Amino acid sequence: RAAAPQQEVASVCPYCGVGCQVGFRTRDGMIEEVVGRDGPANLGRLCVKGRFGFDYLRHPDRLTRPLIRIAGAAKDPADCLDPKRARQKFRDASWEEALTLAAGGLVRIRDGVGPQALAGFGSAKGSNEEAYLFQKLVRTGFGTNNVDHCTRLCHAASVAALFETVGSGAVTAPFTAAAEADLLLVIGAQPTQNHPVAATFLKDAATRGAKLVVMDPRGTGLDRFATEVVRFRPGQDVALLNAMLHVILAEGLHDADFVASRVDGLEALRAHLAPYAPEAVEARCGVSANQIRRVARLYATARAALTLWGMGVSQSVHGTENARALIALSLLCGHVGRPGTGLHPLRGQNNVQGASDAGLIPMMLPDYHRTGDATYRAFLEELWGTPLDHKPGLTVVEILHAAERGEIRGMYIMGENPAMSDPDLAHARAGLAKLDHLVVQDLFLTETAALADVILPATAWPEKDGTVTNTNRQVQIGRRAVAPPGEVRQDLDIVVAMARGLGLDWRYGHAREVFAEMAQAMPSLANITWDRLEREDSVTYPCPAPDAPGEEIVFHDHFPLPGGRAHLVPAGPGDPGELPDRDFPFVLTTGRELEHWHTGAMTRRARVLDALQPAPTVSLAPTALRRLGVAPGALLRVTTRRGAVDLTAREDPALPDGVAFIPFAYTEAAANLLTRAALDPFGKIPDFKHSAARIEPA
Ligand code: SF4
C-alpha cells in the first residue's frame, strides 16, 4: 500500500508563553515532525521543545480510559513517587461510571458541607475556552470562587503591581518591540532557557546596536550580548532598583514632562528613596555604587527602553515590591506607551495570559472584574443565569493549606500538577491526600493523579481545537492535528459532562460556541471572532475594529486608571524571609531548564528531550564544588528546613558561590520538597527563589 501523504496542520506550540506558531506534519494519524510557521511571535523559529516535544502523545504511560480508586485503597503521599504502585490502587471504569462518581462526590460535599468546601484548579496548558468553562463551572456548579491556576506560581506578583500602578495586568508591548528599542533591560529572567525564541529577538536587537542591560544573580545566556551585566545578591532586587531610582531623581534624569502629565506619586517616591543612595546599598546588593550609577544613567537617558522580567522578580515573598520598583523605573523615565518602550513580564505557560483573562483566578471574574464588582457580576449572572458569590476565593497555596486543615474537602484539578509544582510539597501532598474527593483530569497518572479518587483521561493540545493567548496579548488558534488515543474524550466535553453532573444544563458542541460566549462576557475580545482567527491565525487584543490589527503597544496617551494617570508606588524594604546561616549556608533557587517543561509530565516522556536532559542536577559554582570537596557528577544531598533530595552535582560558572540551582521537573528529586510556602502578601505567590539550604555529599 502506498504511504499516505503527509499533511500539515497549523497550530501553536503548547509550551511557553512565547506562542510560536507551528505546523504539525502528520501521516496516518501520527505527528511525524513539527515545523515553525511564520507567526508574529516566532517568524518561523522554534526551540528544542517546540521541535521535539510531542512524541509523549503516544507514550505507553498515556491514560486512555477513566480510572477509579479501588474501594479501600488508601491515599498515600508516597504513591506520588511510584506510579506503578499508584496504578495498582485504581481500576478501569466506563466514562459513565467515572463521571457519575466524579460529579457525585463533589455534589455530596457541596450540598452536605457547603460550596466553600470545594475548589478547582484549571490549567494554563489548556485553551481559553477550557479555562473559561472551568472557572464558570466552579463559580456556578460548585458555588464558590475557589478557582485558580498556575499564574499564582508565576506572575501573580507582577500582575498585582501592574494593576496597582498602570491599571492592567497584561504587557504594554510585545517582546518584538525590542526591534525599535535602543535599550533593553532584562531582569530576573533566563529567556535563553525559558523563552528561547523571544530571546532570539532580544539578541537580534542587541546585535543591531541596542544596548542590553542584564540584571540577575545568576549569569544568563544573554550576558555575552550585554552592554552591562549586573550580578546582584539574591533577594536584593528592591534595594538595587531603588538605588537606580535614587540616582535618576538625584541627577534629574527622569522624564519630567511625562511624569507631570501622566504619573502621580513623584514626591512620595522621592522621599521614600532618601536612604537608597548607591553607596548606602552597594554592600547589601553586591553591586558597586559606580555600576549602579552607570546603569541608571544608561536606562534614564535611553531614547526608548523596553523592560522585560521573569520569575526572578515575581516568585518572591516581596515579588510585588520588586515589580513596583521596576515599574516605577519605567514610568519615571517615560519608557511606556511609545514604540520601542514597554513593560513586559515574560509569561511562563503558553496560555497563562489567556487563562487569567478568561477568569481562572479567584479574586476576579473574566476580564479582571473583581468578584465584588456588583455591576459586572449582575451582568454575568444574567448571561450565565446563575447567582454568583461576591467574595474572592482562595488562591492555589491557600487552597492546599485549607485542604490540610480539612476545610477544603473536594477538588477538581484539570491539567495541573500541584503535587510537584506547589511549594513545601510534603504539606501540599498531605493536603491532597486528605481530600474526601479528588477528581483529576490529565494525560498521565501524574503525582497529583496518584492521590485522586477519579482520573479522567485528557486530550493533548495537538488533539484539540481552541484558542490561546501568548505573552504578547496575541490570541491565536490551534487546530486538531491528530485524534486522541483509546477512549479519551475532548477536555471541553469532559468539563461539560461534569457540569451536567453538577446540575447545570450546559450544551456546548464546539470550542467556537464557547468563544462566542466569551466574546459576550469579555470586552477585551471585541472585534476578535473565531472566523477571523480561522482566517488570520492571530489577532492582538485590544483590537479597535473587525478589520484592524490589534494594538501591540498600549497606553499611548492615558492609563486605564481614574484620571488616566499611572501611580509611582514606593517599594520596600523587600528583605528575603529566609537568610542563609551556619546550618543552611547556601541560597537555593529553583526554576525551569531549556529541555523540560514545568513538572516534566510531557517533556520527560518526549524521547529527544529526555535524552538531552535525562536526570536531575544541582548546579553550583566551581568554587562551591571545590569547597565541598566534590567533582561534577558527584551525588549531593540538598537539605532545607522542609526536606531533602539527592541529585547529581553540575558545575555552572554562571552561578555565584553560595547559590545553588535545581530545576523542578524531576519526581525523583522534587525541588519543591525544599521550597517555602511563605506568600507575597499581595500577589499570594510563594517564594521559589530564596530558601536557605545545606549541601553535602550524599
Ligand atoms: Fe514553544 Fe516557547 Fe519554544 Fe516557542 S520558544 S517553540 S513557544 S517552547
Side-chain angles (χ1 to χ4, degrees):
R1 176 168 82 87
Q6 193 183 54
Q7 295 181 319
E8 184 172 321
V9 179
S11 189
V12 186
C13 174
Y15 287 108
C16 86
V18 171
C20 297
Q21 288 191 8
V22 299
F24 291 122
R25 291 191 173 162
T26 69
R27 197 192 309 268
D28 291 331
M30 309 273 282
I31 295 176
E32 283 192 332
E33 63 176 329
V34 184
V35 294
R37 296 180 67 247
D38 191 23
N42 66 315
L43 306 182
R45 305 168 195 178
L46 290 182
C47 81
V48 69
K49 287 191 291 293
R51 178 71 185 79
F52 295 112
F54 294 96
D55 50 342
Y56 71 84
L57 261 68
R58 292 288 178 269
H59 193 280
D61 291 348
R62 182 82 190 268
L63 297 172
T64 56
R65 59 180 66 93
L67 300 175
I68 288 175
R69 180 171 291 277
I70 293 167
K75 295 181 184 180
D76 180 355
D79 293 344
C80 298
L81 302 176
D82 189 346
K84 284 205 177 74
R85 191 171 94 159
R87 179 66 181 84
Q88 287 164 8
K89 296 186 176 181
F90 291 89
R91 66 172 173 82
D92 291 353
S94 69
W95 272 104
E96 189 185 356
E97 183 187 16
L99 286 168
T100 302
L101 191 68
L106 297 169
V107 167
R108 262 193 308 283
I109 294 169
R110 179 192 68 190
D111 297 346
V113 186
Q116 303 308 333
L118 292 176
F121 291 168
S123 176
K125 286 197 290 292
S127 66
N128 286 326
E129 296 75 32
E130 289 160 2
Y132 174 83
L133 279 196
F134 191 90
Q135 58 88 35
K136 180 177 173 182
L137 168 69
V138 172
R139 297 187 203 281
T140 61
F142 292 8
T144 173
N145 290 316
N146 293 335
V147 61
D148 209 353
H149 75 294
C150 69
T151 188
R152 200 62 44 207
L153 312 176
C154 173
H155 264 305
S158 308
V159 171
L162 283 164
F163 264 106
E164 180 185 28
T165 53
V166 300
S168 165
V171 300
T172 72
F175 56 73
T176 44
E180 295 179 89
D182 68 341
L183 186 137
L184 310 173
L185 172 63
V186 182
I187 177 168
Q190 300 275 339
T192 55
Q193 299 280 313
N194 301 324
H195 303 83
V197 169
T200 65
F201 289 87
L202 308 182
K203 291 178 194 174
D204 285 350
T207 305
R208 282 201 304 273
K211 294 187 174 67
L212 172 61
V213 175
V214 181
M215 302 170 71
D216 203 289
R218 296 166 66 197
T220 82
L222 292 178
D223 289 1
R224 66 196 169 95
F225 297 85
T227 316
E228 288 276 352
V229 175
V230 183
R231 300 275 292 268
F232 61 99
R233 291 226 164 88
Q236 296 302 335
D237 317 51
V238 170
L240 178 60
L241 292 166
N242 276 349
M244 288 173 64
L245 288 163
H246 180 105
V247 172
I248 291 167
L249 281 177
E251 299 186 7
L253 299 175
H254 62 291
D255 185 336
D257 291 343
F258 182 86
V259 173
S261 60
R262 301 195 50 191
V263 183
D264 291 333
L266 178 63
E267 291 317 314
L269 180 69
R270 195 192 296 276
H272 174 79
L273 293 172
Y276 288 94
E279 288 73 13
V281 299
E282 62 180 344
R284 175 177 164 189
C285 299
V287 181
S288 71
N290 274 344
Q291 189 177 30
I292 294 173
R293 289 184 194 285
R294 215 166 50 233
V295 169
R297 289 169 188 153
L298 265 183
Y299 184 84
T301 57
R303 173 187 52 77
L306 182 65
T307 305
L308 305 109
W309 70 98
M311 306 292 101
V313 168
S314 61
Q315 287 179 336
S316 162
V317 284
H318 52 84
T320 303
E321 302 280 4
N322 293 346
R324 283 173 178 160
L326 190 58
I327 296 164
L329 196 62
S330 175
L331 290 173
L332 201 58
C333 300
H335 288 319
V336 186
R338 291 181 288 118
T341 69
L343 293 160
H344 193 118
L346 284 156
R347 298 303 170 129
Q349 298 244 33
N350 76 318
N351 197 34
V352 71
Q353 181 65 58
S356 302
D357 298 342
L360 205 59
I361 43 180
M363 63 290 286
M364 288 164 173
L365 301 165
D367 257 1
Y368 305 99
H369 294 278
R370 296 205 175 268
T371 54
D373 176 342
T375 308
Y376 182 78
R377 206 175 59 248
F379 160 75
L380 214 52
E381 286 172 337
E382 170 101 23
L383 181 69
W384 290 352
T386 321
L388 297 170
D389 189 3
H390 70 280
K391 292 187 300 298
L394 299 174
T395 58
V396 165
V397 178
E398 291 173 332
I399 285 170
L400 292 191
H401 284 169
E404 204 180 6
R405 292 193 302 269
E407 293 163 14
I408 295 289
R409 305 272 289 272
M411 286 189 72
Y412 178 17
I413 299 178
M414 178 177 78
E416 294 255 320
N417 192 6
M420 281 290 286
S421 58
D422 262 42
D424 195 1
L425 278 185
H427 285 281
R429 290 172 178 174
L432 288 165
K434 193 168 173 182
L435 292 169
D436 295 339
H437 189 65
L438 174 59
V439 180
V440 172
Q441 183 171 324
D442 216 312
L443 301 171
F444 301 102
L445 207 161
T446 59
E447 293 78 2
T448 302
L451 300 171
D453 295 274
V454 183
I455 306 174
L456 305 173
T459 330
W461 176 248
E463 298 162 353
K464 62 175 82 163
D465 295 327
T467 66
V468 284
T469 307
N470 70 356
T471 189
N472 288 343
R473 288 184 272 106
Q474 287 150 346
V475 184
Q476 308 200 91
I477 195 161
R479 299 174 180 85
R480 174 177 164 151
V482 293
E487 298 170 20
V488 171
R489 289 188 183 175
Q490 291 291 317
D491 288 311
L492 210 64
D493 295 342
I494 301 171
V495 177
V496 170
M498 286 290 288
R500 293 173 73 83
L502 283 148
L504 301 169
D505 184 23
W506 280 16
R507 295 169 199 281
Y508 299 96
H510 185 265
R512 68 159 62 227
E513 295 165 26
V514 183
F515 190 86
E517 182 179 312
M518 289 171 65
Q520 283 181 273
M522 298 169 61
S524 65
L525 293 178
N527 300 308
I528 304 177
T529 63
W530 187 276
D531 287 343
R532 186 173 176 189
L533 289 169
E534 285 268 32
R535 284 194 307 275
E536 299 178 30
D537 285 336
S538 174
V539 183
T540 299
Y541 80 79
C543 183
D547 54 354
E551 292 179 14
E552 290 202 331
I553 295 175
V554 293
F555 312 154
H556 300 279
D557 53 6
H558 76 284
F559 293 95
L561 284 167
R565 294 173 70 84
H567 302 305
L568 296 166
V569 179
D575 287 320
E578 191 177 66
L579 293 169
D581 56 22
R582 223 181 49 175
D583 295 332
F584 298 95
F586 283 87
V587 171
L588 170 69
T589 181
T590 66
R592 302 197 303 239
E593 59 191 345
L594 173 65
E595 297 83 0
H596 288 303
W597 186 248
H598 283 211
T599 67
M602 296 185 293
T603 52
R604 292 198 74 195
R605 293 179 173 95
R607 198 170 33 90
V608 171
L609 300 176
D610 185 51
L612 289 171
Q613 183 54 58
T617 55
V618 52
S619 297
L620 288 160
T623 47
L625 286 177
R626 278 201 293 280
R627 215 172 45 255
L628 291 166
V630 298
L635 193 64
L636 294 178
R637 174 159 302 159
V638 182
T639 307
T640 67
R641 291 182 175 87
R642 273 74 54 195
V645 297
D646 291 351
L647 64 190
T648 306
R650 172 173 280 174
E651 182 176 283
D652 184 354
L655 278 162
D657 198 337
V659 177
F661 171 76
I662 303 181
F664 68 100
Y666 300 88
T667 312
E668 62 272 41
N672 282 321
L673 287 167
L674 309 175
T675 52
R676 293 190 298 146
L679 300 182
D680 170 270
F682 307 100
K684 304 287 180 76
I685 191 170
D687 196 327
F688 290 120
K689 300 295 188 210
H690 206 281
S691 302
R694 180 170 64 240
I695 304 180
E696 58 210 337

